[in-house]
Amino acid sequence: MGAQAIDRIWEEIQALSLDDQQELRSRILAGDDAKAQQVLESLRGKGLIMSEPRPGRCAPVDFQPIKVSGEPVSETLIRERR
């Protein structure tokens, strides 16, 4: 697979929604398919990934941040540290 093909694939991956990226990741990690390993090696060789992601290490898709009333927590921390 040539460098241009890898770049094109990478751009297409970046354009996917988060859900689609996670589905792609799951499919790559699900099999011991030689082609999937070849793609991972190509991405690793280009420096796009350092190692294979481990299953279950991503933030949950249904993550919702906690809403806090009042000023932002970061502002409170800055004020209290002064």
Side-chain angles (χ1 to χ4, degrees):
M1 191 175 283
Q4 290 178 333
I6 296 290
D7 290 339
R8 189 171 46 247
I9 291 169
W10 181 249
E11 289 171 6
E12 290 179 23
I13 291 171
Q14 293 301 310
L16 294 173
S17 70
L18 180 59
D19 290 338
D20 288 342
Q21 287 180 13
Q22 289 178 340
E23 175 65 23
L24 176 62
R25 177 181 174 269
S26 296
R27 287 185 184 189
I28 289 172
L29 294 176
D32 294 331
D33 183 45
K35 193 70 169 173
Q37 292 301 321
Q38 184 181 20
V39 169
L40 289 172
E41 287 298 322
S42 295
L43 294 173
R44 195 176 296 117
K46 297 254 321 162
L48 299 174
I49 60 173
M50 296 189 67
S51 63
E52 292 181 35
R54 292 184 283 178
R57 304 284 292 184
C58 291
V61 176
D62 61 345
F63 172 77
Q64 294 293 321
I66 298 172
K67 294 185 179 188
V68 179
S69 61
E71 69 181 346
V73 174
S74 59
E75 295 296 323
T76 303
L77 292 173
I78 291 169
R79 183 174 35 78
E80 289 180 358
R81 288 181 181 172
R82 289 183 184 165

